[in-house]
Amino acid sequence: MEKLLYICILALLLLSCEEDIEHPLAEQSWPVVHCLLDADDSVHYLRLGKTFSGMGLNEVLQDPDTLYYSDALVFFDFFGTGGGLLSVQLEPTEELERAPGIFPASPHRLYKTNYPIPHGRGIAVRIELPEINWYVKGTVWVRSQPRFKYPNPEYKKVLDFYEEEHVRIEWNGFPKVCETTVRLKYLEITENGMDTCHLDWTRYSYNFVLLGEEWIDFMLYMIKEDRHVLVRRILGIDILASGGNEQWADYLVYKDWVIDLIDKPYSNLINAHGILASRASGGLYNYLPDQEFIDTLAHSAKTERLKFVEWTE
């Protein structure tokens, strides 16, 4: 989540939703909010800044406080397990470093809370700005963890690359905002010891098939020949899934990474530019490929340089 929080405020001046936003104080700055929630995170951050107009970039750089509101109050509102409405106030912080760029490294003001956010529940973001007698509102449905249909977690933890012709991977992702990584974990043994390594193959899809020959070709391309390696041994395969919700999909469709001020910025909030969205991640762990895949990897003339053995334990 931290990397996304580093995106500069100007990157949030995006193309508009279908409806225009009207600001009664058009000559003044406009709030910019960036908040991407993941219920699995232990800390949740919200970035609140402001647009600037009528001044040059050098003026802004000389006075970084022009990017922030001095007395903002930021809240998460949601229903608790007992049915009552909970209101959690986020505290200002500068504990995260800003990614290198045109803006000063300090201050880099965010708002944070350690309060646990449940999966599959709606949350309202409420921001009060006494400095300009203004408010910002937005709602988001926090995504549930990915649920896998294939491979079925209730069945054997073997991926039948050859015995069933292919391995199907399917989970409840949302189009255009999903990512699936198949991670091969293996042990690399040299004269000086051993290292645990992994090889990731990422696809931006939640429904696809993997062929055994495709995987072997990928391994041949990615794993370099090393004369110091005596043997390699497969430890297991993890399938990692992550994806955002519909709001995040909208943002990816409408975004426009430019520095110039755009007349109709994208927003899914009331009285602000920016993005309020959620994502979730999960996975299936410690699967093994079928024996034919392991034997092929160990004994094929094409793969012998990789030095994999046919035993996994």
Side-chain angles (χ1 to χ4, degrees):
M1 178 174 182
E2 289 83 353
K3 291 182 180 178
L4 289 166
L5 286 166
Y6 295 150
I7 298 176
C8 70
I9 291 175
L10 291 176
L12 291 171
L13 303 179
L14 309 169
L15 295 178
S16 175
C17 293
E18 294 181 359
E19 297 182 1
D20 294 340
I21 304 173
E22 296 183 2
H23 196 320
L25 303 174
E27 298 302 321
Q28 297 188 17
S29 60
W30 181 260
V32 179
V33 175
H34 185 210
C35 184
L36 178 61
L37 296 175
D38 188 333
D40 290 324
D41 289 339
S42 58
V43 183
H44 307 284
Y45 294 95
L46 179 146
R47 182 170 185 171
L48 170 65
K50 62 173 81 170
T51 61
F52 54 90
S53 61
M55 63 178 73
L57 182 60
N58 288 334
E59 295 178 71
V60 176
L61 297 180
Q62 292 172 5
D63 185 10
D65 287 338
T66 58
L67 298 176
Y68 301 105
Y69 296 98
S70 61
D71 56 356
L73 302 174
V74 181
F75 302 89
F76 286 165
D77 296 329
F78 55 93
F79 286 99
T81 54
L85 182 65
L86 294 177
S87 183
V88 177
Q89 183 170 1
L90 283 68
E91 299 296 329
T93 179
E94 295 184 18
E95 65 188 23
L96 297 182
E97 295 182 1
R98 187 196 299 273
I102 61 174
F103 291 101
S106 179
H108 180 218
R109 189 176 307 158
L110 304 170
Y111 294 83
K112 63 171 282 191
T113 179
N114 293 34
Y115 195 91
I117 291 178
H119 286 283
R121 185 167 300 178
I123 291 182
V125 171
R126 174 169 51 92
I127 301 173
E128 299 175 9
L129 300 171
E131 178 181 337
I132 58 173
N133 191 27
W134 197 244
Y135 72 91
V136 175
K137 287 186 178 181
T139 57
V140 62
W141 187 266
V142 179
R143 275 191 59 93
S144 300
Q145 288 182 308
R147 297 188 304 275
F148 281 85
K149 183 176 181 180
Y150 301 107
N152 190 328
E154 298 181 0
Y155 292 172
K156 62 179 182 178
K157 302 190 72 171
V158 175
L159 300 179
D160 294 319
F161 285 103
Y162 285 95
E163 295 174 14
E164 299 294 337
E165 297 184 352
H166 61 252
V167 172
R168 171 166 291 281
I169 296 176
E170 182 178 346
W171 55 280
N172 62 326
F174 195 87
K176 300 180 182 179
V177 283
C178 56
E179 180 178 293
T180 306
T181 297
V182 182
R183 172 169 294 174
L184 174 70
K185 301 176 293 185
Y186 61 95
L187 196 65
E188 197 170 76
I189 302 173
T190 66
E191 294 179 353
N192 298 323
M194 61 183 66
D195 292 313
T196 300
C197 309
H198 70 264
L199 176 63
D200 287 351
W201 191 357
T202 298
R203 296 193 179 185
Y204 298 98
S205 174
Y206 60 91
N207 187 352
F208 57 94
V209 298
L210 284 177
L211 302 178
E213 289 300 324
E214 284 184 331
W215 242 115
I216 288 179
D217 288 343
F218 182 70
M219 294 171 67
L220 283 166
Y221 179 77
M222 296 299 297
I223 301 177
K224 305 305 179 183
E225 187 172 356
D226 188 343
R227 61 184 178 85
H228 299 292
V229 174
L230 301 177
V231 295
R232 293 184 172 102
R233 175 167 65 88
I234 291 179
L235 298 175
I237 295 177
D238 297 338
I239 304 173
L240 311 175
S242 64
N245 62 356
E246 187 173 358
Q247 294 100 322
W248 186 241
D250 288 343
Y251 168 67
L252 294 178
V253 169
Y254 289 106
K255 72 177 183 178
D256 189 359
W257 303 102
V258 297
I259 293 180
D260 296 332
L261 179 66
I262 300 177
D263 290 336
K264 296 181 178 180
Y266 171 82
S267 180
N268 61 2
L269 299 112
I270 298 173
N271 294 335
H273 301 322
I275 179 72
L276 173 60
S278 79
R279 65 177 183 180
S281 57
L284 303 176
Y285 304 94
N286 299 320
Y287 277 68
L288 285 174
D290 59 74
Q291 192 60 47
E292 185 174 348
F293 178 91
I294 296 172
D295 291 343
T296 301
L297 185 61
H299 301 301
S300 169
K302 184 170 70 171
T303 59
E304 61 182 0
R305 71 168 181 81
L306 297 180
K307 301 179 181 178
F308 276 91
V309 295
E310 63 184 17
W311 38 276
T312 59
E313 295 181 359

